Amino acid sequence: MRKMKTANDYAKNCLKPPNAFFEWCYYNMPTYKWANKQQTIIASERKHYFTEEKRLTKNSRLTFFDRRDHFQIILSTSRRIEIQTYEVRSLLEKGKQHFRVKLVNLEHFSNDKYIKVGAVSDTTYDFRLVQLGNMLSMYAQRPTLYPNNWNDRLFTVSELRYLTIDSIYGDEIAFIYKYRQRIEYAQRINAPELAKQILEMKLDMRSITMNWLKRNKVFFRNSNRTYKSYQVKQAIESMGTKYISGVEAFMGVDDISKIPDGVKPITFQNYLMKQKRTIGFYQDYIDMLNELGIPITPMTRLPKDLKMAHDKAVATLNAMKREIVRKEFEKRAIEEAFLEMTIKDVQFILPKEANDLIEEGKSLKHCVGGSSYINQHAEGETTIVFARKTTDPDKPYYTIEYCDSRLIQVHGFKNKRADEQLREIVNQWLHIVNNRYKTEEKKHVA
């Protein structure tokens, strides 16, 4: 390859695209056809994906600038890779379509260098890529890429031919070219997961140097270990203890500090791996013991069956919470019994337990049976009241949410809104309960 010094040198001596590429560019731009009973003008004899047909008149405009589009092609040889972006302008002169083509951007990869070249005028190039159109125009979009099986050629002919990669996107070429030796090394020592992480740009490549790879060759070779595995190993060994291979599936670097006091790190690693549970699952179990007030003893710290112990703690905690909720429902039903009354043919009833809300939600197919409403009612943050027909007081009819002296919502089956007659009755109920609340407040003050 001839030696190139200026940006113009790179543009002038870039790889030559095949004629088929330019024909493809022209095909992807529309053409025109004007016609009347006496005459037909066809702007282009080339194949185009779309032909806009217009009526030919004396005032037909046949000479004008039509449009511009950008198209891209990726070419490669054994010594270089190029991503070339062309601007194609469509112009019409006396009804005939002409195209003007200009290389606007060139990304050149060779000799471990990534050279960017962009057109700053019709004849001058600089060492930078130029923006395609302005940010508000359609031309700022990504150019259409020519389907010339460039992926296959890239990994069979170019400097990337020693990599094992099924396919990539064009905008990934720069990264892969820059770090190809490290990716190749990881693949050569049969460390596929590490190589995959590099390819997916998930690692800080300032740390993943060739020297680092060689130092840790034994650790990654012939394994699916990831960079996380290495981090966990380093963190555990910094504690002066042995790293157990595979423990990274159950704990990360930030979890090292969560190893319980009184348990040797090597014992805890083996425990997690035997239980096949993450440290987060274990910590959840310990948190529940603390919430339940159960002391952490040698037996409870590392139970023989962690899942069984965890599930038992969940069941106990849920039962305790249900009992608390049950008592709160009963307490509210007694203290706020004045909310219950009958107006005309509608009976207003307070729920006596959480299950009443659950059944109400199921029957009317709305969300009052969810844990949010159950907890809010139990804690007094809102009040749920059932509106029932006096002729069938056990059958859900409408559900009322009342809070801060206001009606929040009145919903029936599938959130159906109340009709005018029911709204009038509910408003009467609201007026009465607000007065009763004021009376209750005065009693407490007295």
Side-chain angles (χ1 to χ4, degrees), residues 331 340 342 361 439:
K331 181 181 177 183
E340 296 189 321
T342 299
T439 302

Side-chain angles (χ1 to χ4, degrees), residues 193-207:
E193 288 303 313
L194 181 64
K196 182 181 177 183
Q197 285 188 303
I198 298 174
L199 282 167
E200 293 176 348
M201 307 181 196
K202 293 182 176 179
L203 304 179
D204 183 349
M205 297 308 293
R206 291 172 298 182
S207 301

Side-chain angles (χ1 to χ4, degrees), residues 193-239:
E193 288 303 313
L194 181 64
K196 182 181 177 183
Q197 285 188 303
I198 298 174
L199 282 167
E200 293 176 348
M201 307 181 196
K202 293 182 176 179
L203 304 179
D204 183 349
M205 297 308 293
R206 291 172 298 182
S207 301
I208 314 301
T209 63
M210 281 300 297
N211 287 336
W212 180 89
L213 286 166
K214 289 174 181 177
R215 283 199 309 271
N216 294 285
K217 174 182 176 181
V218 174
F219 179 72
F220 286 103
R221 184 173 55 192
N222 298 323
S223 76
N224 284 319
R225 288 173 175 156
T226 62
Y227 186 68
K228 176 187 173 183
S229 308
Y230 166 80
Q231 290 178 305
V232 172
K233 176 179 180 291
Q234 291 293 101
I236 289 175
E237 288 180 346
S238 68
M239 300 172 67

Side-chain angles (χ1 to χ4, degrees), residues 163 165 168 172-180 183 199:
L163 302 181
I165 304 174
I168 60 171
E172 296 174 322
I173 292 176
F175 177 86
I176 293 173
Y177 184 83
K178 182 176 181 179
Y179 298 112
R180 66 190 186 282
I183 298 168
L199 282 167

Side-chain angles (χ1 to χ4, degrees), residues 20 42 98 105 207 267 329 346 358 379:
I42 299 175
H98 305 280
N105 277 330
S207 301
T267 301
F329 266 71
V346 178
I358 294 172
E379 294 167 9

Side-chain angles (χ1 to χ4, degrees), residues 306-356:
L306 177 58
K307 184 179 185 305
M308 183 183 294
H310 178 279
D311 292 349
K312 182 179 178 181
V314 169
T316 304
L317 190 60
N318 285 341
M320 184 180 76
K321 289 180 177 178
R322 283 195 298 271
E323 180 62 17
I324 292 172
V325 168
R326 185 187 67 78
K327 289 181 179 179
E328 290 298 326
F329 266 71
E330 286 183 354
K331 181 181 177 183
R332 293 204 67 188
I334 293 170
E335 292 180 349
E336 300 179 349
F338 60 85
L339 299 179
E340 296 189 321
M341 66 189 77
T342 299
I343 301 175
K344 295 182 180 180
D345 63 340
V346 178
Q347 188 174 352
F348 295 87
I349 303 171
L350 276 169
K352 305 303 186 293
E353 58 182 47
N355 196 56
D356 291 346

